[in-house]
Amino acid sequence: MAVNLAPPDPGALLPVAGVELGVAMAGIRKPNRKDLLVMRVAPGTAAAGVFTQNRFCAAPVTIARKHLRHPVRALVVNTGNANAGTGGEGIERAMQVCEALAAHLGCEARQILPFSTGVIMEPLPAERIIAALPRALFHQDDWLSAAEAIMTTDTVPKAFSRRVRLSGGSATVSGIAKGAGMIRPDLATMLGFVATDARVPQAALRRLVQRVAARTFNCVTVDGDTSTNDAFVLLATGQGPAASARRDLLRLEVALTDISRQLAQAIVRDAEGATKFVTIEVGAGRTIEECRRVAYAMAHSPLVKTAFFASDPNLGRLLAAIGNAGVAALDASKVDVYLDALRVVRGGARDPHYREEQALAAMRKPEFAVRAVLNRGAARAAVWTCDLSFDYVKINAEYRT
Amino acid sequence: MAVNLAPPDPGALLPVAGVELGVAMAGIRKPNRKDLLVMRVAPGTAAAGVFTQNRFCAAPVTIARKHLRHPVRALVVNTGNANAGTGGEGIERAMQVCEALAAHLGCEARQILPFSTGVIMEPLPAERIIAALPRALFHQDDWLSAAEAIMTTDTVPKAFSRRVRLSGGSATVSGIAKGAGMIRPDLATMLGFVATDARVPQAALRRLVQRVAARTFNCVTVDGDTSTNDAFVLLATGQGPAASARRDLLRLEVALTDISRQLAQAIVRDAEGATKFVTIEVGAGRTIEECRRVAYAMAHSPLVKTAFFASDPNLGRLLAAIGNAGVAALDASKVDVYLDALRVVRGGARDPHYREEQALAAMRKPEFAVRAVLNRGAARAAVWTCDLSFDYVKINAEYRT
């Protein structure tokens, strides 16, 4: 079902010096599936993360946010159980996992970042995770396996790699992500991990993670439901060339943004029930904030999303969503709308040259853009989203029951 | 498909002195269906309305809002075409209809309130409406026919009547409404008309329409999509007893609220694809506004709505939606959640006495309540909504194409 998204070519995924990956089948929710990932990182690795803004954030999010103040030695990620809405006991169980892994690695529990994804409000089976840790410490350096180990309702593992030339030599960037539903990151996606061997000062990495998230994971939405477990973590192991000069940092930022954008878009391409990948751009607004509001109003409207599913150029639904975005003093009679390069709305009414066949042809493609031009300023924003199909309802009406 | 909603019993619908109803088949979009309603009102009738807040409001909304400043003599309502997103030409065509009706009635065009509902961005076939007006002036006094004439994707006509005792005698209240999708009124539902023969001062009626809308039509949501054509109009013909004393006004308000609540709930019961009617209550919040935010966050979450459809007590989705409502400083560890009378969440985690069978039994009913208690104040709010089913997607993927 994924839209224009092939499984990663294992040969194209590059190991990152200073990152060791291992996966295991811990039987957390179902037997015989990879559901546990341990990422060990070299001493001196800089780490920075952004996390869900949901007030019901999960126990591991609370812990990871706190542990990020200390030098990180490993990340431990389980699927099958989100350890969210689990109160104080959830914190205890996540800490038990951190302590067990720290004992294996000879470090402190506060140097471990825990992440969980899966069903909400079930007790975390910490004992099963702890029992499986030794197997996950078997070092494989296999980013594809790592991507597979963090999948839940994903149908395609999501992993991308590239190199970037810095003045001191070539650095590698590899990343994985997961997520297919409950996706409307409010700082990050459900789970995204991007590592580089470049040497990045901690403070610079903290700025980078915000800037990268804002332009990648924070631009996707499937259903407007911000998860309890969203986390996006950048790791820089420092085993490769330095990225501390301004020019190198900029180059690295471009590479990190590139990999993160591919991961974020892969989440939408593999969204629950998605048959269309739609870029929604809003331009000529007064502020980026209002452009984002208008883009999300379209991306979250069930009527717009079902029209995408039907390849129905239902311009009225697009206009109604724009009009609903809550933008003060928006002059509807100035708004233009395009489907790819085709202008379909001019000055708030149907374009005089509108021909439905052309609009239909644009929307029948598995991938297209909707562009609204507000004609009241110079700001712009874009959001990536998908359609609302029978399968979205089917998957979410059947999952967990 | 409608949830606990039977067609009105024609015998229970009461004529309102001073209101004359007539319907016709104008062939606006499809032949052989009632698609035109004219409501004539007696001279001296007080009228007040509330309208959509969508920035793309339809031409008839713009006109009706303006014409309400003058003494109203008739309402003309067509289905099949919303006359929205139609620019200056839309205004002209709606005015042609007003002028034609005014000529028949011997009044001025500004004494006519026009309303349209149906497909957006198509030119209004004014000539067909004008040609059918004489037939719609044939006086029938049939509220059921009137309710039928304003249906679009509704499956059940919506009409309610009751009497209310005032000090000067008994007054009648009858009302009709339509709407099944694009429903999240932001002042009113798509179309609702409630008439009484009581004599109400114009200024009092203007206050009443706001108060009644706030507690009825403004508490429903199907898909969060505020329509371009929402309108709710109160008419008081003054042919019956006076409602000017404070006590009479209060009694009348109770009756108007009662009829309007039944109409608003009927819209949700007949919502596109609905199989469940769900009351979402949020209590013990700091402000009504934050309670409404939390209620709407649940009512608009596709994950919550698909869980309703599946009768799945997926508590995690409820908590995630509450956590996403954007309520500042909400302490998740204080939130309790009930399904009807059953407490399922206590202090942000699963209730220790939780038994899934009980939660399932509550959610399998076609009608139930979700109640979130924030435990941080004394305000409360309620919203009526429905589930998100296969049929919602089917109806909206197929409508218009």
Side-chain angles (χ1 to χ4, degrees):
Chain A
M1 281 296 296
V3 185
N4 292 346
L5 180 68
D9 168 11
L13 296 176
L14 309 170
V16 176
V19 176
E20 292 178 4
L21 302 166
V23 305
M25 297 194 251
I28 292 167
R29 186 167 157 76
K30 291 181 185 159
N32 301 319
R33 56 176 289 173
K34 298 173 191 164
D35 53 10
L36 185 63
L37 165 67
V38 174
M39 291 178 84
R40 274 188 281 180
V41 294
T45 292
V50 285
F51 296 93
T52 181
Q53 294 299 295
N54 194 307
R55 305 292 312 175
F56 277 92
C57 77
V61 169
T62 305
I63 296 172
R65 201 180 261 142
K66 212 167 72 182
H67 286 191
L68 261 178
R69 291 185 215 130
H70 309 283
V72 171
R73 292 304 313 282
L75 286 66
V76 53
V77 191
N78 74 273
T79 66
N81 185 305
N83 195 9
T86 46
E89 201 185 309
I91 297 278
E92 277 166 39
R93 292 184 183 213
M95 278 306 295
Q96 287 162 15
V97 173
C98 292
E99 280 154 17
L101 182 54
H104 283 293
L105 302 181
C107 67
E108 293 176 71
R110 63 185 186 178
Q111 296 183 280
I112 309 291
L113 306 183
F115 302 89
S116 297
T117 178
V119 179
I120 305 181
M121 294 196 102
E122 301 280 344
L124 184 77
E127 62 300 336
R128 265 176 274 163
I129 295 173
I130 291 167
L133 281 178
R135 277 169 281 146
L137 289 169
F138 185 78
H139 165 199
Q140 294 154 319
D141 267 359
D142 177 352
W143 284 90
L144 179 55
S145 264
E148 286 166 354
I150 63 171
M151 288 164 73
T152 51
T153 54
D154 307 62
T155 68
V156 178
K158 296 160 186 74
F160 296 94
S161 284
R162 58 166 282 178
R163 289 193 204 282
V164 53
R165 243 216 109 71
L166 304 182
S167 47
S170 174
T172 303
V173 177
S174 290
I176 55 174
K178 63 83 51 182
M182 206 180 261
I183 298 287
R184 193 289 202 206
D186 192 4
L187 271 190
T189 183
M190 284 206 61
L191 294 177
F193 305 104
V194 175
T196 176
D197 56 352
R199 197 162 71 251
V200 185
Q202 179 66 46
L205 198 70
R206 254 185 239 122
R207 284 192 300 271
L208 271 181
V209 79
Q210 300 282 355
R211 292 168 58 89
V212 171
R215 279 173 295 149
T216 60
F217 288 109
N218 266 357
C219 297
V220 300
T221 185
V222 170
D223 45 20
D225 281 302
T226 304
S227 141
T228 47
N229 290 55
D230 287 349
F232 167 50
V233 174
L234 272 188
L235 299 162
T237 66
Q239 309 285 297
S244 32
R246 186 172 151 68
R247 196 169 124 183
D248 285 334
L249 265 176
L250 278 177
R251 279 184 189 164
L252 183 66
E253 181 174 341
V254 168
L256 292 169
T257 303
D258 176 35
I259 293 296
S260 301
R261 186 187 299 114
Q262 289 187 68
L263 289 168
Q265 292 191 351
I267 285 171
V268 177
R269 292 179 189 286
D270 194 21
E272 289 169 352
T275 73
K276 301 283 170 77
F277 176 89
V278 186
T279 302
I280 298 189
E281 291 176 19
V282 177
R286 279 195 196 146
T287 62
I288 291 176
E289 179 48 37
E290 79 174 31
C291 292
R292 280 173 70 87
R293 278 180 85 112
V294 172
Y296 277 119
M298 285 190 271
H300 291 156
S301 158
L303 291 175
V304 168
K305 290 171 100 75
T306 47
F308 289 162
F309 175 50
S311 306
D312 173 12
N314 196 315
L315 307 179
R317 294 188 189 169
L318 290 173
L319 287 195
I322 296 169
N324 273 337
V327 172
L330 176 67
D331 184 348
S333 74
K334 287 200 176 151
V335 174
D336 302 328
V337 179
Y338 295 75
L339 293 175
D340 288 338
L342 178 72
R343 188 173 63 201
V344 290
V345 170
R346 198 180 73 179
R350 199 156 68 181
D351 189 283
H353 304 295
Y354 178 78
R355 281 175 42 221
E356 184 154 296
E357 316 84 79
Q358 295 177 323
L360 258 173
M363 291 187 67
R364 280 206 183 110
K365 292 184 295 177
E367 192 160 342
F368 59 88
V370 173
R371 189 153 58 91
V373 183
L374 306 184
N375 289 314
R376 56 191 239 133
R380 59 174 298 285
V383 159
W384 301 298
T385 193
C386 61
D387 55 340
L388 170 59
S389 69
F390 289 118
D391 279 353
Y392 179 88
V393 177
K394 189 172 154 66
I395 291 163
N396 284 298
E398 289 177 0
Y399 182 57
R400 203 206 78 110
T401 38
Chain B
M1 281 295 294
V3 185
N4 294 346
L5 178 69
D9 169 9
L13 297 176
L14 309 170
V16 176
V19 176
E20 294 178 1
L21 302 166
V23 307
M25 298 194 250
I28 292 168
R29 187 170 155 75
K30 290 178 187 163
N32 301 319
R33 55 177 290 174
K34 295 174 193 163
D35 53 10
L36 185 62
L37 165 67
V38 173
M39 292 178 84
R40 273 188 282 180
V41 294
T45 293
V50 286
F51 297 92
T52 180
Q53 294 299 295
N54 194 307
R55 303 290 315 172
F56 277 93
C57 78
V61 169
T62 304
I63 296 172
R65 200 179 261 139
K66 213 168 72 182
H67 286 191
L68 262 177
R69 291 185 214 129
H70 309 283
V72 171
R73 292 305 312 280
L75 287 66
V76 53
V77 192
N78 74 272
T79 65
N81 186 305
N83 195 8
T86 45
E89 201 184 308
I91 297 278
E92 276 167 40
R93 292 185 183 214
M95 278 306 296
Q96 286 162 14
V97 173
C98 293
E99 280 155 17
L101 182 53
H104 283 293
L105 302 181
C107 67
E108 292 177 69
R110 63 186 187 180
Q111 296 183 278
I112 309 293
L113 306 182
F115 301 89
S116 297
T117 178
V119 178
I120 305 180
M121 293 196 104
E122 301 278 345
L124 183 77
E127 61 301 337
R128 265 176 275 163
I129 296 173
I130 292 168
L133 280 178
R135 278 168 279 148
L137 289 170
F138 186 78
H139 165 202
Q140 293 153 319
D141 265 359
D142 175 352
W143 284 89
L144 180 56
S145 263
E148 286 166 355
I150 63 172
M151 290 165 71
T152 52
T153 55
D154 308 60
T155 68
V156 179
K158 297 162 185 74
F160 297 95
S161 284
R162 59 166 282 179
R163 289 195 203 281
V164 53
R165 248 216 108 63
L166 305 181
S167 47
S170 175
T172 304
V173 177
S174 292
I176 55 173
K178 64 80 55 181
M182 204 180 261
I183 297 288
R184 194 284 201 209
D186 191 2
L187 271 189
T189 181
M190 284 205 60
L191 294 178
F193 304 103
V194 175
T196 176
D197 55 352
R199 198 164 68 251
V200 186
Q202 178 65 46
L205 197 71
R206 257 186 236 120
R207 285 192 299 273
L208 271 180
V209 78
Q210 300 283 352
R211 292 168 59 89
V212 171
R215 280 174 293 148
T216 60
F217 289 108
N218 266 358
C219 296
V220 301
T221 185
V222 171
D223 45 20
D225 281 302
T226 303
S227 141
T228 46
N229 290 54
D230 288 349
F232 167 48
V233 173
L234 272 188
L235 299 163
T237 65
Q239 309 286 300
S244 34
R246 188 174 150 69
R247 198 170 123 186
D248 286 333
L249 265 177
L250 279 176
R251 280 185 188 160
L252 183 66
E253 180 173 343
V254 168
L256 291 170
T257 303
D258 175 35
I259 292 297
S260 300
R261 187 190 296 112
Q262 289 186 69
L263 289 169
Q265 292 191 352
I267 285 172
V268 176
R269 293 179 189 285
D270 194 23
E272 290 169 351
T275 72
K276 302 283 170 76
F277 177 89
V278 186
T279 301
I280 299 190
E281 291 176 20
V282 177
R286 280 195 195 145
T287 61
I288 291 176
E289 178 49 33
E290 80 175 30
C291 292
R292 280 174 69 87
R293 276 179 87 111
V294 172
Y296 277 119
M298 286 190 271
H300 290 156
S301 158
L303 292 173
V304 168
K305 290 171 101 73
T306 47
F308 289 161
F309 175 49
S311 305
D312 173 12
N314 196 315
L315 307 179
R317 294 186 189 171
L318 290 174
L319 288 193
I322 296 168
N324 273 338
V327 172
L330 176 69
D331 185 348
S333 74
K334 287 200 175 149
V335 174
D336 303 330
V337 179
Y338 295 75
L339 294 174
D340 285 338
L342 178 73
R343 188 173 61 200
V344 291
V345 170
R346 198 180 72 179
R350 200 156 65 182
D351 188 281
H353 304 294
Y354 177 78
R355 281 175 45 220
E356 184 152 299
E357 315 84 79
Q358 295 177 321
L360 259 174
M363 291 188 66
R364 280 207 183 109
K365 293 183 297 179
E367 190 158 344
F368 59 87
V370 173
R371 190 154 57 93
V373 183
L374 306 183
N375 288 313
R376 57 191 239 130
R380 60 174 296 284
V383 159
W384 302 298
T385 192
C386 61
D387 55 339
L388 171 58
S389 70
F390 289 117
D391 279 352
Y392 179 88
V393 177
K394 189 172 154 63
I395 291 162
N396 284 298
E398 289 176 0
Y399 181 58
R400 204 206 78 107
T401 40

